[in-house]
Amino acid sequence: MPRVRADDYQAKYQAIMDCAAALFAKEGYPSAKMQDVARACGATKSMLYHYFPTKDDLLFALLVEHLERVIASVEEAIAAEAQPRDKLQGLVRVYIQKSAQSRRRHMVAMQDVKYLPKARQAPLIELQRRLTRLVSDLLRTIHPGLPDDVYMPYTMMLIGMLNWTDMWYRPGGAIKSQDLCERMYRLFLKGFLAEKA
């Protein structure tokens, strides 16, 4: 019986974050109010406050969960038994597929961290740094011997390209997800490998 209650709690917790992500992405975090989130979830404000005492708590939980999922997917791609270039291809694929599954959360993660108090931003910024270190270390294995100060700009170019895909890409459009991943991988890799030591 306690297991059912835990599952029910988790399901409601996730449903609230899903509704909040959709609302924040549509209305913007500053404009959205907790009563709007409650209405979107079909819940009462008191029930919402039981899970998230403040709107900042809700945004923080949403962003931590999203970034941790993205990082876990990237770590899995990098840990695969494969050549470094194949790992990069896998990274592009899981990153695009993961963010497509949670497109609204990804948009909120890109746009709304700045609205949190500095103390709440710090752990999120550390998660972002962890992601950039993972990507940068992979790029070093693909093209070793470049000057140290070259890897981070390429890391940020790749992550930027992957992040902004959610702003314009429509999965039901002319380019299928797999084709998009292949094109992005080839475009980035050819440019990166052209860099001289």
Side-chain angles (χ1 to χ4, degrees), residues 1-194:
M1 204 58 134
R3 176 73 180 160
V4 173
R5 283 200 295 269
D7 288 348
D8 186 49
Y9 182 92
Q10 188 62 28
K12 287 179 181 171
Y13 183 88
Q14 289 297 324
I16 291 168
M17 288 204 291
D18 289 342
C19 289
L23 187 67
F24 295 163
K26 181 181 176 187
E27 304 291 335
Y29 179 74
S31 301
K33 297 180 173 42
M34 286 294 266
Q35 64 194 34
D36 301 327
V37 176
R39 192 177 309 113
C41 296
T44 62
K45 275 175 62 176
S46 61
M47 191 271 274
L48 191 65
Y49 286 126
H50 173 71
Y51 290 89
F52 302 100
T54 69
K55 190 170 75 161
D56 284 353
D57 292 325
L58 175 53
L59 178 61
F60 180 79
L62 191 157
L63 297 180
V64 166
E65 183 189 68
H66 176 72
L67 288 167
E68 286 179 343
R69 283 183 179 178
V70 171
I71 288 169
S73 296
V74 168
E75 286 176 331
E76 188 176 328
I78 291 172
E81 290 290 330
Q83 293 298 313
R85 291 184 193 185
D86 295 330
K87 290 182 181 190
L88 176 64
Q89 190 172 25
L91 183 153
V92 169
R93 189 179 310 114
V94 298
Y95 200 105
I96 293 295
Q97 290 171 348
K98 178 60 72 179
S99 63
Q101 291 167 4
S102 54
R103 183 173 299 272
R104 292 176 179 133
R105 289 187 190 202
H106 197 75
M107 291 170 68
V108 170
M110 289 173 53
Q111 298 173 356
D112 294 342
V113 174
K114 63 183 176 282
Y115 296 117
L116 289 171
K118 294 291 184 196
R120 302 302 291 273
Q121 290 181 27
L124 297 168
I125 291 168
E126 184 49 44
L127 286 171
Q128 292 170 343
R129 287 181 179 148
R130 186 170 151 201
L131 176 62
T132 59
R133 285 193 298 269
L134 286 167
V135 176
S136 182
D137 289 348
L138 177 59
L139 294 184
R140 283 177 187 275
T141 66
I142 291 170
H143 195 1
L146 294 176
D148 282 344
D149 60 359
V150 168
Y151 292 103
M152 193 50 68
Y154 272 99
T155 297
M156 299 313 290
M157 283 188 271
L158 176 59
I159 292 173
M161 182 169 62
L162 294 170
N163 279 341
W164 280 98
T165 300
D166 268 347
M167 297 299 185
W168 61 267
Y169 177 64
R170 298 293 170 258
I175 300 178
K176 300 304 174 207
S177 176
Q178 186 62 34
D179 292 337
L180 176 67
C181 292
E182 291 297 323
R183 288 170 194 236
M184 291 175 77
Y185 164 73
R186 287 196 309 267
L187 174 68
F188 179 82
L189 187 64
K190 285 180 181 179
F192 179 56
L193 292 177

